[in-house]
Short mmCIF file of all heavy atoms in Angstrom, two decimals:
data_model
loop_
_atom_site.label_atom_id
_atom_site.label_comp_id
_atom_site.label_asym_id
_atom_site.label_seq_id
_atom_site.Cartn_x
_atom_site.Cartn_y
_atom_site.Cartn_z
N GLN A 132 188.07 -121.50 -110.34
CA GLN A 132 187.35 -122.75 -110.70
C GLN A 132 188.32 -123.92 -110.49
O GLN A 132 189.40 -123.88 -111.18
CB GLN A 132 186.86 -122.72 -112.16
CG GLN A 132 185.80 -121.74 -112.45
CD GLN A 132 185.45 -121.83 -113.94
OE1 GLN A 132 186.18 -121.38 -114.80
NE2 GLN A 132 184.25 -122.40 -114.21
N ASN A 133 187.94 -124.87 -109.63
CA ASN A 133 188.87 -126.02 -109.40
C ASN A 133 188.08 -127.31 -109.17
O ASN A 133 188.33 -128.00 -108.20
CB ASN A 133 189.73 -125.67 -108.21
CG ASN A 133 190.86 -126.66 -108.05
OD1 ASN A 133 191.26 -127.33 -108.94
ND2 ASN A 133 191.41 -126.74 -106.81
N PRO A 134 187.18 -127.66 -110.08
CA PRO A 134 186.49 -128.92 -109.90
C PRO A 134 187.36 -130.12 -110.21
O PRO A 134 188.37 -129.96 -110.89
CB PRO A 134 185.29 -128.81 -110.89
CG PRO A 134 185.83 -127.96 -111.95
CD PRO A 134 186.79 -126.97 -111.30
N LYS A 135 186.96 -131.27 -109.73
CA LYS A 135 187.78 -132.52 -109.99
C LYS A 135 187.96 -132.75 -111.51
O LYS A 135 189.00 -133.22 -111.98
CB LYS A 135 187.07 -133.72 -109.40
CG LYS A 135 187.47 -133.93 -107.95
CD LYS A 135 187.07 -135.32 -107.49
CE LYS A 135 187.56 -135.47 -106.10
NZ LYS A 135 186.81 -136.42 -105.31
N SER A 136 186.92 -132.34 -112.27
CA SER A 136 187.02 -132.60 -113.75
C SER A 136 188.14 -131.80 -114.42
O SER A 136 188.54 -132.11 -115.50
CB SER A 136 185.65 -132.26 -114.38
OG SER A 136 185.41 -130.89 -114.14
N PHE A 137 188.65 -130.79 -113.74
CA PHE A 137 189.75 -129.99 -114.30
C PHE A 137 191.12 -130.69 -114.09
O PHE A 137 192.15 -130.16 -114.51
CB PHE A 137 189.77 -128.59 -113.79
CG PHE A 137 188.72 -127.67 -114.35
CD1 PHE A 137 187.75 -128.15 -115.15
CD2 PHE A 137 188.70 -126.30 -114.01
CE1 PHE A 137 186.73 -127.29 -115.69
CE2 PHE A 137 187.75 -125.46 -114.49
CZ PHE A 137 186.76 -125.96 -115.37
N ASP A 138 191.09 -131.80 -113.35
CA ASP A 138 192.29 -132.63 -113.20
C ASP A 138 193.52 -131.80 -112.71
O ASP A 138 194.57 -131.85 -113.37
CB ASP A 138 192.57 -133.34 -114.51
CG ASP A 138 193.59 -134.47 -114.32
OD1 ASP A 138 193.73 -134.99 -113.17
OD2 ASP A 138 194.20 -134.90 -115.26
N LYS A 139 193.34 -131.11 -111.66
CA LYS A 139 194.43 -130.32 -111.00
C LYS A 139 194.98 -129.18 -111.85
O LYS A 139 196.12 -128.75 -111.68
CB LYS A 139 195.59 -131.30 -110.59
CG LYS A 139 195.12 -132.34 -109.60
CD LYS A 139 196.28 -133.07 -109.04
CE LYS A 139 195.76 -134.10 -108.03
NZ LYS A 139 196.15 -135.44 -108.26
N THR A 140 194.19 -128.71 -112.82
CA THR A 140 194.55 -127.53 -113.55
C THR A 140 193.42 -126.50 -113.32
O THR A 140 192.52 -126.38 -114.12
CB THR A 140 194.76 -127.76 -115.06
OG1 THR A 140 195.80 -128.73 -115.22
CG2 THR A 140 195.23 -126.48 -115.76
N PRO A 141 193.48 -125.80 -112.16
CA PRO A 141 192.43 -124.77 -111.93
C PRO A 141 192.42 -123.66 -113.00
O PRO A 141 193.46 -123.41 -113.66
CB PRO A 141 192.79 -124.24 -110.50
CG PRO A 141 193.67 -125.29 -109.95
CD PRO A 141 194.43 -125.90 -111.07
N ILE A 142 191.28 -123.02 -113.12
CA ILE A 142 191.19 -121.84 -113.99
C ILE A 142 190.86 -120.63 -113.17
O ILE A 142 189.94 -120.67 -112.31
CB ILE A 142 190.09 -122.11 -115.09
CG1 ILE A 142 190.52 -123.26 -116.00
CG2 ILE A 142 189.92 -120.87 -115.93
CD1 ILE A 142 189.50 -123.62 -117.08
N ILE A 143 191.63 -119.62 -113.34
CA ILE A 143 191.47 -118.39 -112.55
C ILE A 143 190.98 -117.33 -113.56
O ILE A 143 191.58 -117.07 -114.60
CB ILE A 143 192.80 -117.92 -111.99
CG1 ILE A 143 193.55 -119.08 -111.27
CG2 ILE A 143 192.57 -116.85 -110.89
CD1 ILE A 143 192.90 -119.77 -110.16
N HIS A 144 189.90 -116.61 -113.11
CA HIS A 144 189.34 -115.53 -113.94
C HIS A 144 189.93 -114.22 -113.39
O HIS A 144 189.78 -113.89 -112.15
CB HIS A 144 187.84 -115.45 -113.80
CG HIS A 144 187.11 -116.67 -114.30
ND1 HIS A 144 185.89 -116.65 -114.90
CD2 HIS A 144 187.46 -117.99 -114.27
CE1 HIS A 144 185.53 -117.85 -115.23
NE2 HIS A 144 186.47 -118.72 -114.80
N ILE A 145 190.56 -113.43 -114.19
CA ILE A 145 191.26 -112.19 -113.80
C ILE A 145 190.74 -111.00 -114.58
O ILE A 145 190.64 -111.04 -115.78
CB ILE A 145 192.76 -112.38 -114.08
CG1 ILE A 145 193.36 -113.67 -113.50
CG2 ILE A 145 193.54 -111.15 -113.59
CD1 ILE A 145 193.53 -113.65 -112.01
N ALA A 146 190.45 -109.91 -113.83
CA ALA A 146 190.14 -108.65 -114.48
C ALA A 146 191.43 -107.88 -114.68
O ALA A 146 192.21 -107.66 -113.76
CB ALA A 146 189.19 -107.83 -113.67
N VAL A 147 191.69 -107.51 -115.95
CA VAL A 147 192.97 -106.93 -116.33
C VAL A 147 192.70 -105.65 -117.08
O VAL A 147 191.85 -105.60 -117.98
CB VAL A 147 193.79 -107.92 -117.27
CG1 VAL A 147 195.11 -107.30 -117.65
CG2 VAL A 147 193.96 -109.25 -116.61
N ASP A 148 193.46 -104.60 -116.70
CA ASP A 148 193.41 -103.33 -117.47
C ASP A 148 193.53 -103.58 -119.04
O ASP A 148 194.43 -104.31 -119.40
CB ASP A 148 194.48 -102.37 -116.98
CG ASP A 148 194.38 -100.97 -117.55
OD1 ASP A 148 194.10 -100.83 -118.76
OD2 ASP A 148 194.56 -100.06 -116.79
N ARG A 149 192.63 -103.01 -119.82
CA ARG A 149 192.67 -103.26 -121.24
C ARG A 149 194.05 -103.03 -121.91
O ARG A 149 194.37 -103.63 -122.89
CB ARG A 149 191.67 -102.35 -121.92
CG ARG A 149 190.35 -102.95 -121.99
CD ARG A 149 189.35 -102.05 -122.71
NE ARG A 149 188.07 -102.64 -122.58
CZ ARG A 149 187.52 -103.58 -123.40
NH1 ARG A 149 188.21 -103.96 -124.47
NH2 ARG A 149 186.38 -104.09 -123.19
N LYS A 150 194.76 -102.11 -121.29
CA LYS A 150 196.06 -101.80 -122.01
C LYS A 150 197.04 -102.94 -121.89
O LYS A 150 198.04 -102.93 -122.62
CB LYS A 150 196.61 -100.45 -121.54
CG LYS A 150 197.11 -100.40 -120.13
CD LYS A 150 197.72 -99.06 -119.84
CE LYS A 150 198.18 -98.94 -118.42
NZ LYS A 150 197.80 -97.80 -117.77
N PHE A 151 196.80 -103.92 -121.04
CA PHE A 151 197.70 -105.02 -120.92
C PHE A 151 197.15 -106.32 -121.65
O PHE A 151 197.63 -107.42 -121.34
CB PHE A 151 197.92 -105.32 -119.45
CG PHE A 151 198.64 -104.21 -118.75
CD1 PHE A 151 197.97 -103.42 -117.82
CD2 PHE A 151 199.96 -103.93 -119.06
CE1 PHE A 151 198.61 -102.40 -117.20
CE2 PHE A 151 200.63 -102.88 -118.38
CZ PHE A 151 199.95 -102.08 -117.47
N LEU A 152 196.18 -106.14 -122.53
CA LEU A 152 195.57 -107.28 -123.20
C LEU A 152 196.59 -108.24 -123.83
O LEU A 152 196.48 -109.46 -123.68
CB LEU A 152 194.64 -106.76 -124.33
CG LEU A 152 194.07 -107.84 -125.27
CD1 LEU A 152 193.15 -108.79 -124.51
CD2 LEU A 152 193.33 -107.17 -126.43
N TYR A 153 197.63 -107.68 -124.49
CA TYR A 153 198.60 -108.56 -125.14
C TYR A 153 199.85 -108.86 -124.21
O TYR A 153 200.67 -109.65 -124.63
CB TYR A 153 199.12 -107.85 -126.46
CG TYR A 153 198.01 -107.70 -127.44
CD1 TYR A 153 197.55 -106.42 -127.76
CD2 TYR A 153 197.42 -108.80 -128.07
CE1 TYR A 153 196.51 -106.24 -128.69
CE2 TYR A 153 196.40 -108.66 -128.97
CZ TYR A 153 195.98 -107.32 -129.25
OH TYR A 153 194.95 -107.17 -130.23
N ASP A 154 199.90 -108.26 -123.06
CA ASP A 154 201.05 -108.45 -122.16
C ASP A 154 200.75 -109.48 -121.09
O ASP A 154 201.62 -110.31 -120.68
CB ASP A 154 201.46 -107.17 -121.49
CG ASP A 154 201.92 -106.15 -122.53
OD1 ASP A 154 202.65 -106.49 -123.43
OD2 ASP A 154 201.44 -104.93 -122.41
#
Side-chain angles (χ1 to χ4, degrees):
Q132 293 180 287
N133 190 21
K135 273 196 175 152
S136 59
F137 283 7
D138 195 21
K139 299 189 178 124
T140 302
I142 296 177
I143 316 296
H144 300 213
I145 307 285
V147 181
D148 188 315
R149 273 182 186 273
K150 69 178 179 224
F151 297 109
L152 172 65
Y153 297 112
D154 298 316

